[in-house]
Amino acid sequence: MRFATGSAAHGPLTWSQQYYLAEVEAARPHGRSLALKRLYELRPGTTEQDVTAVLATLLERHEALRSTVVPAADPEDALQRVHPEGRLDLLVRDVPEGVLRSAASQLLQELAAPVFDLAREWPVRAALVRAGGGPRLLALAFSHLAVDAFALRPVTEHLVAACAVADPVAYPATRSDHPGRGLLEQAALERSAGAARALRRAARVCAAMPPAPPDDPRDAPAGSFRFLSHRSAALDLATGAVALHSGESVATVLTAAMLTVDALMAGSTTGYVQLIAANRTRPELARAVQPCSQPVPCCVDVTDASFHDLVRRTAAATLGAFRFGSFPPAGLDRARAAAERDRGVRLDTSVTLNYRPRADPLPLRAVTGDELRRAAADRETAWTDGEYVWRATRCLSIDAGAGGLRLLLQVDTARHPRQWAERWTAAFERLLCAAARADVPAGRLSRVVRPGAVRRRLPVPK
């Protein structure tokens, strides 16, 4: 499938691309591609020619999908080249009707698994699945350097308008009269606007955040990443109840719980986390097909406060983090290094929370202690395989929707043993369940979070 626009350009990477480029390169030795995968059902009567025409239009319209990276010795100096024309290979596979979905899912996995060669290939791969004599499903894998989850909303809208069946549970594209800012335009504006305010705020966070434990990630070789998954009906009820009582969002309540558990388990007076922010509040970015997500640092003082007080403190801290917006990742590294020199400590700015809300929100309602006790039996905790590996001592990903919360805690076991991760997850749920029944005062927070060690070990996949 060929595409042509008649225009070529090159320029710097956006700040979000710089962040994702570092993550992609760090995941490469682990054999992880950090690819976003989508499977689209095609409307009856769609032909292979229809699909190739739609894909050609998609690449012509969005420069992020036809860009390659020009590497540099210093990642901060890497550039990107937007190509005016090219060819995207469309893999076509025929499968039996009876195994259409399972075969398509397997094909999508195969499509996304190889690590993208960002200097030589497009950041999108495509495959067409045929069954019963015609095209049925379109599989697309995207490099995180080109898109984030929000950037795929207008991509999905484009495909649905032309040939795909709408996904009833997918987020619709954000309404905006602006077509979406281009990749190179965004990169140029970031450099003209600067990031002084955001970096000053990051420096203040680095001056207040807790020191890293002695096994700082930069003092040890690359560790062994493991993934602890957790689902609990009691956690769902408790989180919704605390959000209702506090008047704050589910995301804020979960952030407050992570900050509090981290601080109390480490015996610290402050909790720190970097939050993955979409940074799409402006109309010109709401529908932009480019990555805008990147982490923003957040620090909360946990002294002399009940848990509901900490939810309110977290709301203020996250508002400040998001309001100051994006900044060059290298700038945060320099701010951290300066704070380490001034304070004479080592800091771990990698601790991450990635909250991913779904189309239907988590129900918010008051609950009783009896309800929580009955729901406690409906839970699953297990070590599992993870799809993504992030540069983080620990990274908590939370999918939230009407069906509940799904937690995936990535842990670098060279820094935190598996038993620590199990204690952490148990403390996270225990704190929220206690706060759902009644506010947890400052004097009881530590006893709720650290009542004793977990007695059993969960099996770990080989």
Side-chain angles (χ1 to χ4, degrees):
M1 181 273 293
R2 296 201 64 83
F3 63 89
T5 67
S7 59
H10 71 279
L13 299 175
T14 67
W15 293 335
S16 177
Q17 285 182 301
Q18 290 178 33
Y19 162 68
Y20 279 118
L21 179 60
E23 295 294 339
V24 166
E25 292 306 315
R28 187 181 300 276
H30 300 279
R32 307 301 178 93
S33 68
L34 298 191
L36 280 76
K37 305 186 296 290
R38 292 295 184 273
L39 196 62
Y40 296 96
E41 180 182 353
L42 298 173
R43 293 202 294 262
T46 299
T47 66
E48 187 173 330
Q49 290 73 25
D50 293 333
V51 174
T52 57
V54 170
L55 289 176
T57 303
L58 195 65
L59 268 71
E60 290 166 358
R61 181 175 297 178
H62 302 297
E63 60 189 20
L65 303 181
R66 50 185 169 87
S67 298
T68 55
V69 174
V70 181
D74 187 338
E76 194 175 2
D77 297 328
L79 301 174
Q80 60 188 322
R81 187 177 305 280
V82 180
H83 297 260
E85 59 182 3
R87 176 186 178 87
L88 175 67
D89 293 329
L90 177 64
L91 175 65
V92 179
R93 181 172 295 181
D94 290 291
V95 303
E97 182 77 35
V99 295
L100 174 62
R101 282 285 172 178
S102 60
S105 297
Q106 178 60 36
L107 175 60
L108 185 57
Q109 288 293 119
E110 296 172 9
L111 198 68
V115 179
F116 280 86
D117 184 346
L118 298 168
R120 293 180 175 84
E121 68 169 310
W122 308 124
V124 56
R125 298 171 183 152
L128 188 63
V129 184
R130 297 190 305 198
R136 299 290 296 279
L137 296 166
L138 174 63
L140 296 176
F142 302 85
S143 168
H144 236 322
L145 199 72
V147 298
D148 53 20
F150 288 87
L152 292 183
R153 295 180 182 182
V155 169
T156 296
E157 186 181 67
H158 175 87
L159 294 170
V160 168
C163 64
V165 176
D167 184 347
V169 299
Y171 271 122
T174 305
R175 294 288 95 194
S176 172
D177 294 333
H178 198 287
R181 183 178 288 164
L183 197 65
L184 295 181
E185 180 187 7
Q186 174 66 17
L189 286 170
E190 286 176 345
R191 277 145 187 80
S192 63
R197 286 197 312 159
L199 289 175
R200 283 197 297 270
R201 184 191 169 280
R204 291 195 294 271
V205 170
C206 289
M209 66 181 288
D215 53 352
D216 183 89
R218 288 168 301 152
D219 293 335
S224 177
F225 293 103
R226 293 291 183 267
F227 299 86
L228 185 64
S229 66
H230 183 68
R231 180 201 63 78
S232 166
L235 177 63
D236 300 340
L237 291 174
T239 303
V242 176
L244 177 66
H245 176 85
S246 65
E248 302 293 348
S249 68
V250 169
T252 298
V253 170
L254 294 169
T255 304
M258 182 173 184
L259 289 163
T260 304
V261 171
D262 270 358
L264 296 180
M265 285 186 67
S268 173
T269 59
T270 53
Y272 168 85
V273 67
Q274 60 175 5
L275 303 165
I276 303 299
N279 293 326
R280 290 183 180 270
T281 55
R282 296 187 296 278
E284 64 271 20
L285 290 179
R287 294 173 57 80
V289 179
Q290 59 171 288
C292 291
S293 305
Q294 72 176 108
V296 293
C298 179
C299 189
V300 172
D301 182 354
V302 302
T303 56
D304 301 323
S306 70
F307 183 67
H308 290 173
D309 290 335
L310 292 177
V311 171
R312 288 186 284 271
R313 290 183 187 181
T314 301
T318 55
L319 178 63
F322 296 144
R323 185 176 71 244
F324 284 100
S326 304
F327 52 82
L332 177 59
D333 290 341
R334 289 190 285 268
R336 186 208 66 234
E340 288 178 333
R341 289 193 301 269
D342 293 343
R343 297 175 58 185
V345 298
R346 304 298 290 273
L347 302 174
D348 180 8
T349 56
S350 74
V351 180
T352 303
L353 172 61
N354 188 11
Y355 176 75
R356 303 180 295 205
R358 299 307 180 192
D360 299 317
L362 182 73
L364 310 184
R365 66 176 182 85
V367 296
T368 65
D370 285 342
E371 283 184 286
L372 290 173
R373 282 188 287 274
R374 288 194 299 269
D378 184 8
R379 65 195 304 272
E380 298 174 61
T381 305
W383 290 96
T384 185
D385 293 325
E387 193 167 3
Y388 301 106
V389 169
W390 302 104
R391 293 181 306 159
T393 319
R394 57 193 177 278
C395 175
L396 179 64
S397 296
I398 304 179
D399 291 305
L405 302 172
R406 299 294 184 274
L407 277 60
L408 187 66
L409 179 64
Q410 173 195 304
V411 178
D412 183 351
T413 55
R415 285 77 179 181
H416 295 295
R418 293 192 293 269
Q419 193 173 20
W420 178 93
E422 293 168 16
R423 288 199 304 269
W424 191 99
T425 303
F428 185 85
E429 178 172 341
R430 194 163 53 244
L431 173 61
L432 285 165
C433 286
R437 295 191 296 270
D439 191 11
V440 183
R444 285 193 57 236
L445 275 173
S446 185
R447 292 199 295 275
V448 169
V449 169
R450 304 177 65 183
V454 173
R455 296 182 184 276
R456 64 188 183 91
R457 295 287 296 277
L458 299 171
V460 180
K462 296 181 179 178

